């Protein structure tokens, strides 16, 4: 393999737990499940084509999830290290440069959400080697890194690359 995997950058998230609005953060949001559940089903398209990580924004906060696909998620022993995840890793990071107010989380934190922050902040992405990627989230409010994850792939991991 020449690279770690496939990273997708998008605006609207497939997964978020910010609010009850079904169009933006509901399980059946059109970005994830498609128009009338039949056309433009992006989650299926990305999964079928080996997308490893989905980085989105839209909501003005930060949230990181367990590897997840079609509402099924993989619980891993270390929340900061994913080795050969079976589903794409979703990270919502929409608070950098936001001149509007931050979006508070009004829904309870579900089991598939690992970390949430309502602080202004931004991410660093570091490629450690051709199979390992590290992402950190920096909070401007606390002037510290408050979340991080390392995603690593085996050279021989089936179904990727």
């Amino acid at each position: 393999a020449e690279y770690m995997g496939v990273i997708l950058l998008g605006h609207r998230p497939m997964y978020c737990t910010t609010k009850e609005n079904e169009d933006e953060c509901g399980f059946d949001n059109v970005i994830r499940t498609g128009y009338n559940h039949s056309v433009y089903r992006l989650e299926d398209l990305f999964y079928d084509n080996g997308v490893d990580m989905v980085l989105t924004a839209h909501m003005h906060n930060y949230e990181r999830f367990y590897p997840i696909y079609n509402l099924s998620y993989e619980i891993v022993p270390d929340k900061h290290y994913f080795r050969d995840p079976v589903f794409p890793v979703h990270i919502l990071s929409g608070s950098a440069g936001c001149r509007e107010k931050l979006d508070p989380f009004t829904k309870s934190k579900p089991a598939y959400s690992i970390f949430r922050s309502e602080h202004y902040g931004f991410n660093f992405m570091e490629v450690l080697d051709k199979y390992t990627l590290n992402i950190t989230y920096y909070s401007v409010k606390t002037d510290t890194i408050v979340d991080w994850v390392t995603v690593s792939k085996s050279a021989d991991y089936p179904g990727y690359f």
Side-chain angles (χ1 to χ4, degrees):
E2 298 286 326
Y3 52 87
M4 181 259 183
V6 179
I7 300 171
L8 180 113
L9 303 175
H11 180 73
R12 299 233 358 223
M14 290 183 210
Y15 293 95
C16 68
T17 66
T18 305
K19 55 187 175 180
E20 299 293 336
N21 182 325
E22 194 66 28
D23 182 47
E24 291 182 311
C25 288
F27 292 136
D28 278 339
N29 74 67
V30 71
I31 299 297
R32 192 178 77 72
T33 61
Y35 180 71
N36 290 332
H37 292 262
S38 62
V39 202
Y40 310 118
R41 295 181 352 216
L42 294 181
E43 185 174 37
D44 290 342
L45 177 71
F46 298 159
Y47 180 78
D48 292 345
N49 287 281
V51 171
D52 297 294
M53 183 175 288
V54 180
L55 302 174
T56 59
H58 187 64
M59 305 312 297
H60 299 159
N61 53 38
Y62 172 84
E63 187 167 20
R64 183 168 61 87
F65 300 90
Y66 282 106
I68 189 168
Y69 168 70
N70 198 24
L71 303 177
S72 296
Y73 61 99
E74 174 187 14
I75 296 178
V76 294
D78 183 344
K79 295 177 183 180
H80 295 287
Y81 184 70
F82 299 161
R83 177 152 179 88
D84 296 326
V86 297
F87 301 129
V89 175
H90 289 255
I91 297 175
L92 186 162
S93 186
S95 62
C98 169
R99 60 184 179 192
E100 302 165 4
K101 292 184 179 186
L102 293 167
D103 290 324
F105 292 97
T106 59
K107 293 170 76 172
S108 297
K109 183 175 176 276
Y112 57 85
S113 176
I114 294 175
F115 183 82
R116 305 191 306 183
S117 173
E118 296 175 4
H119 298 175
Y120 287 105
F122 53 91
N123 290 93
F124 292 103
M125 182 184 295
E126 181 181 13
V127 178
L128 302 177
D129 61 45
K130 76 182 201 175
Y131 299 113
T132 310
L133 178 72
N134 190 58
I135 296 182
T136 56
Y137 180 70
Y138 180 85
S139 166
V140 174
K141 180 177 183 178
T142 63
D143 197 25
T144 59
I145 292 173
V146 295
D147 188 41
W148 65 95
V149 64
T150 300
V151 181
S152 179
K153 298 289 201 159
S154 299
D156 60 352
Y157 189 69
Y160 292 87
F161 316 126

